[in-house]
Coordinates of all heavy atoms in Angstrom, one line a residue:
V647 N 3.2 12.9 4.0 CA 2.1 12.5 3.1 C 1.2 11.5 3.8 O -0.1 11.6 3.7 CB 2.7 11.8 1.8 CG1 1.6 11.2 1.0 CG2 3.5 12.8 1.0
I648 N 1.7 10.5 4.5 CA 0.9 9.5 5.2 C 0.0 10.2 6.2 O -1.2 9.9 6.3 CB 1.8 8.4 5.9 CG1 2.5 7.6 4.8 CG2 0.9 7.5 6.7 CD1 3.5 6.6 5.2
A649 N 0.6 11.1 7.0 CA -0.2 11.8 8.0 C -1.4 12.5 7.4 O -2.5 12.5 8.0 CB 0.6 12.8 8.8
G650 N -1.3 13.0 6.2 CA -2.4 13.7 5.6 C -3.4 12.8 5.0 O -4.5 13.2 4.7
Q651 N -3.2 11.5 5.0 CA -4.1 10.5 4.5 C -4.7 9.6 5.6 O -5.5 8.7 5.3 CB -3.4 9.6 3.5 CG -2.7 10.3 2.4 CD -3.6 11.1 1.5 OE1 -4.8 10.8 1.3 NE2 -3.1 12.1 0.8
L652 N -4.4 9.9 6.8 CA -4.9 9.0 7.9 C -6.4 9.0 8.0 O -7.0 8.0 8.5 CB -4.3 9.5 9.3 CG -2.8 9.1 9.4 CD1 -2.3 9.6 10.7 CD2 -2.5 7.6 9.2
G653 N -7.1 10.1 7.6 CA -8.5 10.1 7.6 C -9.1 9.0 6.7 O -10.1 8.3 7.1
Q654 N -8.5 8.7 5.6 CA -8.9 7.6 4.7 C -8.7 6.3 5.4 O -9.6 5.4 5.3 CB -8.1 7.6 3.4 CG -8.2 8.8 2.5 CD -7.3 8.7 1.3 OE1 -6.8 7.6 1.0 NE2 -7.2 9.7 0.6
I655 N -7.6 6.1 6.1 CA -7.3 4.8 6.8 C -8.3 4.6 7.9 O -8.8 3.6 8.1 CB -5.9 4.8 7.3 CG1 -4.9 5.0 6.1 CG2 -5.6 3.5 8.0 CD1 -5.0 4.0 5.0
R656 N -8.6 5.7 8.7 CA -9.5 5.7 9.8 C -10.9 5.3 9.3 O -11.6 4.5 9.9 CB -9.5 7.0 10.5 CG -10.2 7.0 11.8 CD -10.1 8.3 12.6 NE -8.8 8.8 12.8 CZ -8.2 9.9 12.2 NH1 -9.0 10.6 11.4 NH2 -7.0 10.2 12.4
Y657 N -11.3 5.8 8.1 CA -12.6 5.5 7.6 C -12.7 4.0 7.3 O -13.7 3.4 7.6 CB -12.8 6.3 6.3 CG -14.0 5.8 5.4 CD1 -15.3 6.2 5.8 CD2 -13.8 5.0 4.3 CE1 -16.3 5.7 5.0 CE2 -14.8 4.5 3.6 CZ -16.1 4.9 3.9 OH -17.2 4.4 3.2
C658 N -11.7 3.4 6.8 CA -11.7 2.0 6.5 C -12.0 1.2 7.8 O -12.7 0.2 7.7 CB -10.3 1.5 5.9 SG -10.0 2.1 4.2
Y659 N -11.3 1.6 8.8 CA -11.5 0.9 10.1 C -12.9 1.1 10.7 O -13.6 0.2 11.1 CB -10.4 1.3 11.1 CG -10.5 0.8 12.5 CD1 -10.5 -0.5 12.8 CD2 -10.8 1.7 13.5 CE1 -10.6 -1.0 14.1 CE2 -10.9 1.3 14.8 CZ -10.8 -0.1 15.1 OH -11.0 -0.5 16.4
E660 N -13.3 2.4 10.8 CA -14.5 2.7 11.4 C -15.7 2.2 10.7 O -16.7 1.9 11.3 CB -14.6 4.3 11.6 CG -13.6 4.8 12.6 CD -13.7 6.3 12.8 OE1 -14.3 7.0 11.9 OE2 -13.0 6.8 13.7
R661 N -15.6 2.0 9.4 CA -16.7 1.4 8.6 C -17.0 0.0 9.1 O -18.1 -0.5 9.2 CB -16.4 1.4 7.2 CG -17.6 1.3 6.3 CD -17.2 1.6 4.9 NE -16.4 0.4 4.4 CZ -15.9 0.3 3.2 NH1 -16.1 1.2 2.3 NH2 -15.2 -0.8 2.8
Q662 N -16.0 -0.8 9.5 CA -16.1 -2.2 10.0 C -16.4 -2.2 11.5 O -16.9 -3.2 12.0 CB -14.9 -3.0 9.6 CG -14.8 -3.2 8.1 CD -16.0 -4.0 7.6 OE1 -16.4 -5.0 8.1 NE2 -16.5 -3.4 6.5
L663 N -16.0 -1.2 12.2 CA -16.1 -1.1 13.6 C -17.6 -1.2 14.1 O -17.9 -1.8 15.1 CB -15.5 0.1 14.2 CG -15.3 0.2 15.7 CD1 -14.4 -0.9 16.2 CD2 -14.7 1.6 16.0
S664 N -18.5 -0.6 13.3 CA -19.9 -0.6 13.6 C -20.4 -2.1 13.6 O -21.3 -2.4 14.4 CB -20.7 0.3 12.7 OG -20.6 -0.1 11.4
A665 N -19.9 -2.9 12.7 CA -20.4 -4.3 12.6 C -19.7 -5.2 13.6 O -20.2 -6.2 14.0 CB -20.1 -4.8 11.2
N666 N -18.5 -4.8 14.1 CA -17.7 -5.5 15.0 C -17.0 -4.6 16.0 O -15.9 -4.2 15.8 CB -16.6 -6.4 14.3 CG -15.8 -7.2 15.2 OD1 -16.0 -7.2 16.4 ND2 -14.9 -8.0 14.7
P667 N -17.7 -4.2 17.1 CA -17.2 -3.3 18.1 C -15.9 -3.7 18.8 O -15.2 -2.9 19.4 CB -18.4 -3.1 19.1 CG -19.6 -3.7 18.4 CD -19.1 -4.7 17.4
E668 N -15.6 -5.0 18.7 CA -14.4 -5.5 19.4 C -13.2 -5.5 18.4 O -12.1 -6.1 18.8 CB -14.7 -6.9 19.9 CG -15.8 -7.0 20.9 CD -15.6 -6.2 22.1 OE1 -14.4 -6.3 22.7 OE2 -16.5 -5.5 22.5
L669 N -13.3 -4.9 17.3 CA -12.3 -5.0 16.3 C -11.1 -4.1 16.7 O -11.3 -2.9 16.9 CB -12.9 -4.5 14.9 CG -12.0 -4.6 13.7 CD1 -11.7 -6.1 13.4 CD2 -12.7 -4.0 12.5
Y670 N -9.9 -4.7 16.8 CA -8.7 -3.9 17.1 C -7.5 -4.7 16.6 O -7.6 -5.9 16.4 CB -8.6 -3.6 18.6 CG -8.3 -4.7 19.5 CD1 -7.0 -5.0 19.8 CD2 -9.3 -5.5 19.9 CE1 -6.7 -6.1 20.6 CE2 -9.1 -6.6 20.7 CZ -7.7 -6.9 21.1 OH -7.5 -8.0 21.9
G671 N -6.4 -4.1 16.4 CA -5.2 -4.7 16.0 C -4.2 -3.9 15.3 O -4.4 -2.6 15.2
K672 N -3.2 -4.5 14.7 CA -2.2 -3.8 14.0 C -2.1 -4.4 12.6 O -2.1 -5.6 12.4 CB -0.9 -3.9 14.7 CG 0.4 -3.3 14.1 CD 1.6 -3.6 15.0 CE 2.9 -3.1 14.3 NZ 4.0 -3.4 15.2
I673 N -1.9 -3.5 11.6 CA -1.7 -3.9 10.2 C -0.4 -3.3 9.8 O -0.2 -2.1 9.8 CB -2.9 -3.4 9.3 CG1 -4.2 -4.1 9.7 CG2 -2.5 -3.7 7.8 CD1 -5.4 -3.6 8.9
M674 N 0.5 -4.1 9.3 CA 1.8 -3.7 8.7 C 1.6 -3.7 7.2 O 1.4 -4.7 6.6 CB 2.9 -4.6 9.2 CG 4.3 -4.1 8.8 SD 4.8 -2.7 9.9 CE 5.1 -3.5 11.4
V675 N 1.7 -2.5 6.6 CA 1.5 -2.4 5.2 C 2.9 -2.1 4.6 O 3.7 -1.3 5.1 CB 0.6 -1.2 4.9 CG1 0.4 -1.0 3.4 CG2 -0.8 -1.4 5.5
K676 N 3.1 -2.8 3.4 CA 4.4 -2.6 2.7 C 3.9 -2.1 1.3 O 3.0 -2.6 0.7 CB 5.1 -3.9 2.5 CG 5.6 -4.5 3.8 CD 6.3 -5.9 3.5 CE 6.8 -6.4 4.8 NZ 7.6 -7.6 4.6
F677 N 4.6 -1.0 0.9 CA 4.3 -0.4 -0.4 C 5.5 0.2 -1.0 O 6.5 0.5 -0.3 CB 3.1 0.6 -0.4 CG 3.3 1.8 0.5 CD1 3.8 3.0 0.0 CD2 3.0 1.7 1.9 CE1 4.0 4.1 0.8 CE2 3.1 2.8 2.7 CZ 3.7 4.0 2.1
T678 N 5.5 0.3 -2.3 CA 6.7 0.8 -3.1 C 6.3 2.1 -3.8 O 5.3 2.1 -4.5 CB 7.1 -0.2 -4.1 OG1 7.4 -1.5 -3.5 CG2 8.4 0.3 -4.9
I679 N 7.1 3.1 -3.5 CA 6.9 4.4 -4.2 C 7.8 4.4 -5.4 O 9.0 4.2 -5.3 CB 7.3 5.6 -3.3 CG1 6.5 5.5 -2.0 CG2 7.1 6.9 -4.0 CD1 7.0 6.4 -0.9
G680 N 7.2 4.5 -6.6 CA 8.0 4.5 -7.9 C 8.7 5.8 -8.1 O 8.6 6.7 -7.4
G681 N 9.5 5.8 -9.2 CA 10.3 7.0 -9.5 C 9.6 8.2 -9.7 O 10.1 9.3 -9.5
A682 N 8.3 8.1 -10.1 CA 7.5 9.3 -10.3 C 6.7 9.8 -9.1 O 6.0 10.8 -9.1 CB 6.4 9.0 -11.4
G683 N 6.8 9.0 -8.0 CA 6.2 9.4 -6.7 C 4.9 8.7 -6.5 O 4.3 8.8 -5.4
S684 N 4.4 7.9 -7.4 CA 3.1 7.2 -7.2 C 3.4 5.8 -6.6 O 4.5 5.3 -6.7 CB 2.4 7.0 -8.5 OG 3.2 6.3 -9.5
V685 N 2.4 5.3 -5.9 CA 2.5 4.0 -5.3 C 2.4 2.9 -6.4 O 1.3 2.9 -7.1 CB 1.5 3.8 -4.2 CG1 1.6 2.4 -3.6 CG2 1.8 4.8 -3.1
V686 N 3.4 2.0 -6.6 CA 3.3 1.1 -7.6 C 2.9 -0.3 -7.2 O 2.4 -1.1 -7.9 CB 4.6 1.0 -8.5 CG1 4.8 2.3 -9.2 CG2 5.8 0.8 -7.6
T687 N 3.2 -0.6 -5.9 CA 2.8 -1.9 -5.3 C 2.4 -1.7 -3.9 O 2.9 -0.8 -3.2 CB 3.9 -3.0 -5.3 OG1 5.0 -2.6 -4.5 CG2 4.4 -3.3 -6.7
Q688 N 1.4 -2.5 -3.4 CA 1.0 -2.4 -2.0 C 0.5 -3.7 -1.5 O -0.2 -4.4 -2.2 CB 0.0 -1.3 -1.8 CG -1.4 -1.5 -2.4 CD -1.4 -1.1 -3.9 OE1 -0.5 -0.5 -4.4 NE2 -2.4 -1.5 -4.6
T689 N 1.0 -4.2 -0.3 CA 0.6 -5.4 0.2 C 0.5 -5.3 1.7 O 1.1 -4.4 2.3 CB 1.6 -6.6 -0.1 OG1 2.9 -6.2 0.5 CG2 1.8 -6.8 -1.6
I690 N -0.2 -6.3 2.3 CA -0.3 -6.4 3.8 C 0.9 -7.3 4.2 O 1.0 -8.4 3.8 CB -1.6 -7.0 4.3 CG1 -2.8 -6.2 3.8 CG2 -1.6 -7.2 5.8 CD1 -2.9 -4.8 4.4
G691 N 1.8 -6.7 5.0 CA 2.9 -7.5 5.5 C 2.5 -8.5 6.5 O 2.6 -9.7 6.3
N692 N 1.9 -8.1 7.6 CA 1.2 -9.0 8.5 C 0.1 -8.2 9.2 O 0.1 -6.9 9.2 CB 2.2 -9.6 9.5 CG 3.0 -8.6 10.3 OD1 2.6 -7.5 10.4 ND2 4.2 -9.1 10.7
S693 N -0.8 -8.9 9.9 CA -2.0 -8.2 10.5 C -2.5 -9.0 11.7 O -2.7 -10.2 11.6 CB -3.1 -8.1 9.4 OG -4.3 -7.6 10.0
S694 N -2.7 -8.3 12.8 CA -3.3 -8.9 13.9 C -4.8 -8.5 13.9 O -5.6 -8.9 14.8 CB -2.6 -8.5 15.2 OG -2.7 -7.1 15.4
L695 N -5.2 -7.6 13.0 CA -6.6 -7.2 12.9 C -7.4 -8.3 12.3 O -8.6 -8.5 12.7 CB -6.7 -5.9 12.0 CG -8.0 -5.2 12.1 CD1 -8.2 -4.5 13.4 CD2 -8.0 -4.1 11.0
N696 N -6.8 -9.0 11.3 CA -7.5 -10.1 10.6 C -8.9 -9.8 10.1 O -9.9 -10.5 10.4 CB -7.6 -11.3 11.6 CG -6.2 -11.9 11.9 OD1 -5.3 -11.9 11.1 ND2 -6.0 -12.2 13.2
N697 N -9.0 -8.7 9.4 CA -10.2 -8.3 8.8 C -10.0 -7.9 7.3 O -9.4 -6.9 7.0 CB -10.8 -7.1 9.5 CG -12.2 -6.7 9.0 OD1 -12.4 -6.3 7.9 ND2 -13.2 -6.9 9.9
A698 N -10.3 -8.8 6.4 CA -10.1 -8.6 5.0 C -10.7 -7.4 4.4 O -10.2 -6.7 3.5 CB -10.5 -9.9 4.2
M699 N -11.9 -7.0 4.9 CA -12.5 -5.8 4.5 C -11.7 -4.5 4.8 O -11.5 -3.7 3.9 CB -13.9 -5.6 5.1 CG -14.9 -6.8 4.7 SD -15.4 -6.7 3.0 CE -16.5 -5.4 3.0
V700 N -11.2 -4.4 6.0 CA -10.4 -3.3 6.4 C -9.1 -3.3 5.6 O -8.6 -2.3 5.0 CB -10.1 -3.2 7.9 CG1 -9.2 -2.1 8.2 CG2 -11.4 -3.1 8.7
E701 N -8.4 -4.4 5.5 CA -7.2 -4.6 4.8 C -7.3 -4.2 3.3 O -6.5 -3.4 2.8 CB -6.6 -6.0 5.0 CG -6.2 -6.3 6.4 CD -6.1 -7.8 6.7 OE1 -6.2 -8.6 5.8 OE2 -5.8 -8.1 7.9
G702 N -8.3 -4.7 2.7 CA -8.5 -4.4 1.3 C -8.8 -2.9 1.0 O -8.3 -2.3 0.1
C703 N -9.6 -2.3 1.9 CA -9.9 -0.9 1.8 C -8.6 -0.1 2.0 O -8.4 0.9 1.2 CB -10.9 -0.5 2.9 SG -11.4 1.2 3.0
I704 N -7.8 -0.4 2.9 CA -6.5 0.3 3.1 C -5.6 0.2 1.9 O -5.1 1.2 1.4 CB -5.8 -0.2 4.4 CG1 -6.6 0.2 5.6 CG2 -4.3 0.3 4.4 CD1 -6.0 -0.4 6.9
L705 N -5.5 -1.0 1.3 CA -4.7 -1.2 0.1 C -5.2 -0.3 -1.0 O -4.4 0.3 -1.8 CB -4.6 -2.6 -0.2 CG -3.8 -3.5 0.7 CD1 -3.8 -5.0 0.3 CD2 -2.4 -3.0 0.9
R706 N -6.5 -0.3 -1.2 CA -7.1 0.5 -2.3 C -6.8 2.0 -2.1 O -6.5 2.7 -3.0 CB -8.6 0.3 -2.4 CG -9.0 -1.1 -3.0 CD -10.5 -1.2 -3.3 NE -11.3 -1.1 -2.1 CZ -11.5 -2.1 -1.3 NH1 -11.0 -3.3 -1.5 NH2 -12.3 -1.9 -0.2
R707 N -6.9 2.5 -0.9 CA -6.6 3.9 -0.6 C -5.1 4.2 -0.9 O -4.8 5.2 -1.5 CB -6.9 4.2 0.9 CG -8.4 4.1 1.3 CD -9.2 5.1 0.5 NE -10.6 5.2 1.0 CZ -11.6 4.3 0.6 NH1 -11.3 3.3 -0.2 NH2 -12.8 4.5 1.0
I708 N -4.2 3.4 -0.4 CA -2.8 3.6 -0.6 C -2.4 3.6 -2.0 O -1.5 4.4 -2.4 CB -2.0 2.5 0.2 CG1 -2.1 2.8 1.7 CG2 -0.5 2.5 -0.2 CD1 -1.5 1.7 2.6
A709 N -3.1 2.8 -2.8 CA -2.8 2.7 -4.3 C -2.9 4.1 -4.9 O -2.2 4.4 -5.9 CB -3.7 1.7 -5.0
G710 N -3.7 5.0 -4.4 CA -3.9 6.3 -5.0 C -3.1 7.4 -4.4 O -3.2 8.5 -4.9
W711 N -2.3 7.1 -3.5 CA -1.4 8.1 -2.8 C -0.3 8.6 -3.8 O 0.2 7.8 -4.6 CB -0.8 7.6 -1.5 CG -1.8 7.4 -0.4 CD1 -3.2 7.6 -0.5 CD2 -1.6 6.9 0.9 NE1 -3.7 7.3 0.7 CE2 -2.8 6.9 1.6 CE3 -0.4 6.5 1.5 CZ2 -2.9 6.4 2.9 CZ3 -0.5 6.1 2.8 CH2 -1.7 6.0 3.5
Q712 N 0.0 9.9 -3.6 CA 1.1 10.4 -4.4 C 2.2 11.0 -3.5 O 1.8 11.8 -2.6 CB 0.6 11.5 -5.3 CG 1.6 12.1 -6.3 CD 2.0 11.2 -7.3 OE1 1.3 10.3 -7.8 NE2 3.3 11.3 -7.7
F713 N 3.4 10.7 -3.6 CA 4.5 11.1 -2.8 C 5.4 12.0 -3.6 O 5.4 12.0 -4.9 CB 5.3 9.9 -2.3 CG 4.6 9.1 -1.2 CD1 3.7 8.1 -1.6 CD2 4.8 9.4 0.1 CE1 3.0 7.4 -0.6 CE2 4.1 8.6 1.1 CZ 3.2 7.6 0.7
P714 N 6.3 12.8 -3.0 CA 7.3 13.5 -3.8 C 8.2 12.5 -4.5 O 8.4 11.4 -4.0 CB 8.1 14.3 -2.7 CG 7.2 14.3 -1.5 CD 6.4 13.1 -1.6
Q715 N 8.7 12.9 -5.6 CA 9.6 12.0 -6.4 C 10.8 11.7 -5.6 O 11.5 12.6 -5.0 CB 10.0 12.7 -7.7 CG 8.9 12.7 -8.8 CD 9.5 13.2 -10.1 OE1 10.5 13.9 -10.1 NE2 8.8 12.9 -11.2
P716 N 11.2 10.4 -5.5 CA 12.4 10.0 -4.8 C 13.6 10.6 -5.5 O 13.6 10.7 -6.7 CB 12.4 8.5 -4.8 CG 10.9 8.1 -5.1 CD 10.4 9.2 -5.9
R717 N 14.6 10.9 -4.7 CA 15.9 11.4 -5.3 C 16.5 10.4 -6.2 O 16.5 9.2 -5.9 CB 16.9 11.8 -4.2 CG 16.5 13.1 -3.5 CD 17.6 13.5 -2.6 NE 17.1 14.6 -1.8 CZ 17.5 14.9 -0.6 NH1 18.5 14.2 -0.1 NH2 17.0 15.9 0.1
G718 N 16.9 10.8 -7.4 CA 17.5 9.9 -8.3 C 16.5 9.0 -9.1 O 16.9 8.2 -9.9
G719 N 15.3 9.3 -8.9 CA 14.2 8.5 -9.6 C 14.2 7.1 -9.3 O 13.6 6.3 -10.0
T720 N 14.7 6.7 -8.1 CA 14.7 5.3 -7.7 C 13.4 4.9 -7.0 O 12.7 5.8 -6.6 CB 15.9 5.0 -6.8 OG1 15.9 3.6 -6.5 CG2 15.9 5.8 -5.6
S721 N 13.1 3.6 -6.9 CA 12.0 3.2 -6.1 C 12.3 3.1 -4.6 O 13.5 2.9 -4.3 CB 11.5 1.8 -6.6 OG 11.0 1.9 -7.9
V722 N 11.3 3.4 -3.8 CA 11.5 3.4 -2.3 C 10.5 2.4 -1.7 O 9.3 2.5 -2.0 CB 11.3 4.8 -1.7 CG1 11.4 4.7 -0.2 CG2 12.3 5.8 -2.3
L723 N 11.0 1.4 -0.9 CA 10.2 0.4 -0.3 C 9.8 1.0 1.1 O 10.7 1.4 1.9 CB 10.9 -0.9 -0.1 CG 10.1 -2.0 0.6 CD1 8.8 -2.3 -0.1 CD2 10.9 -3.3 0.7
V724 N 8.6 1.0 1.5 CA 8.1 1.6 2.7 C 7.3 0.5 3.5 O 6.5 -0.2 2.9 CB 7.2 2.8 2.5 CG1 6.6 3.3 3.9 CG2 7.8 3.9 1.7
T725 N 7.6 0.3 4.8 CA 6.9 -0.6 5.6 C 6.3 0.3 6.7 O 7.1 1.0 7.4 CB 7.8 -1.7 6.3 OG1 8.3 -2.4 5.2 CG2 6.9 -2.6 7.2
Y726 N 5.0 0.4 6.9 CA 4.4 1.3 7.8 C 3.3 0.6 8.6 O 2.4 -0.1 8.1 CB 3.7 2.4 7.0 CG 3.4 3.7 7.8 CD1 4.4 4.6 8.0 CD2 2.2 3.8 8.4 CE1 4.1 5.7 8.8 CE2 1.9 4.9 9.2 CZ 2.9 5.9 9.4 OH 2.6 7.0 10.2
P727 N 3.3 0.8 9.9 CA 2.3 0.1 10.8 C 1.1 1.1 11.0 O 1.3 2.3 11.2 CB 3.1 -0.1 12.1 CG 4.0 1.1 12.2 CD 4.4 1.4 10.7
F728 N 0.0 0.5 11.0 CA -1.3 1.2 11.4 C -1.9 0.4 12.6 O -2.1 -0.8 12.5 CB -2.3 1.2 10.3 CG -1.9 2.1 9.1 CD1 -1.4 1.5 8.0 CD2 -1.9 3.4 9.1 CE1 -1.0 2.2 6.9 CE2 -1.5 4.2 8.1 CZ -1.1 3.6 6.9
L729 N -2.1 1.2 13.7 CA -2.6 0.6 14.9 C -4.1 1.0 15.0 O -4.4 2.2 14.9 CB -1.9 1.0 16.2 CG -0.4 0.7 16.2 CD1 0.3 1.4 17.3 CD2 -0.2 -0.8 16.2
F730 N -5.0 0.0 15.3 CA -6.4 0.3 15.4 C -6.9 -0.1 16.7 O -6.8 -1.3 17.1 CB -7.2 -0.4 14.3 CG -6.7 0.0 12.9 CD1 -5.8 -0.7 12.2 CD2 -7.2 1.2 12.3 CE1 -5.4 -0.3 10.9 CE2 -6.8 1.6 11.1 CZ -5.9 0.8 10.4
K731 N -7.6 0.8 17.4 CA -8.3 0.5 18.7 C -9.4 1.5 18.9 O -9.2 2.7 18.7 CB -7.3 0.6 19.9 CG -7.9 0.1 21.2 CD -6.8 0.0 22.2 CE -7.2 -0.5 23.6 NZ -8.5 -0.8 23.9
S732 N -10.6 1.0 19.2 CA -11.7 1.8 19.3 C -11.6 2.7 20.6 O -11.1 2.2 21.6 CB -13.0 1.0 19.4 OG -14.1 1.8 19.8
T733 N -12.1 3.9 20.5 CA -12.1 4.8 21.7 C -13.4 4.8 22.4 O -13.6 5.6 23.3 CB -11.7 6.2 21.3 OG1 -12.6 6.7 20.3 CG2 -10.3 6.3 20.7
R734 N -14.3 4.0 21.9 CA -15.7 3.9 22.5 C -15.7 3.2 23.8 O -15.0 2.2 24.0 CB -16.7 3.3 21.5 CG -16.9 4.2 20.3 CD -17.8 3.5 19.4 NE -17.6 4.0 18.0 CZ -18.0 3.4 16.9 NH1 -18.7 2.3 17.0 NH2 -17.8 3.9 15.7

């Protein structure tokens, strides 16, 4: 599911990259997948990118993601790193 959404995440980064060509770093995102498969909470764990615009954009995108229902209808906590570095 995450791999299929990477374009959204890349968009968040590239939108700010034009204003700051030196922007790079790692964002650790923590989110919870609820029993129905939707994301119920999302936060930034830590970030070396230090860009509130990119971080907020990523959290808004993740909030709309839909995952397969977890077995047993339980919640699943996910911690996922996103690495950003310009290829220009």
Side-chain angles (χ1 to χ4, degrees):
V647 172
I648 294 173
Q651 306 296 335
L652 288 179
Q654 294 179 15
I655 303 302
R656 193 174 304 115
Y657 167 79
C658 291
Y659 172 66
E660 289 177 351
R661 203 171 69 178
Q662 292 299 310
L663 191 60
S664 59
N666 181 0
E668 301 299 313
L669 188 63
Y670 70 94
K672 176 179 173 180
I673 296 177
M674 189 71 72
V675 179
K676 296 180 179 185
F677 59 95
T678 304
I679 302 168
S684 58
V685 175
V686 294
T687 65
Q688 65 279 348
T689 61
I690 299 296
N692 55 25
S693 171
S694 64
L695 194 71
N696 296 321
N697 185 295
M699 296 292 285
V700 175
E701 294 164 2
C703 179
I704 289 171
L705 292 178
R706 286 190 298 278
R707 296 297 188 275
I708 290 173
W711 291 359
Q712 185 67 36
F713 289 84
Q715 285 186 338
R717 287 189 190 153
T720 181
S721 294
V722 177
L723 178 60
V724 178
T725 302
Y726 198 88
F728 292 103
L729 301 170
F730 299 98
K731 185 169 184 355
S732 172
T733 56
R734 294 181 205 163

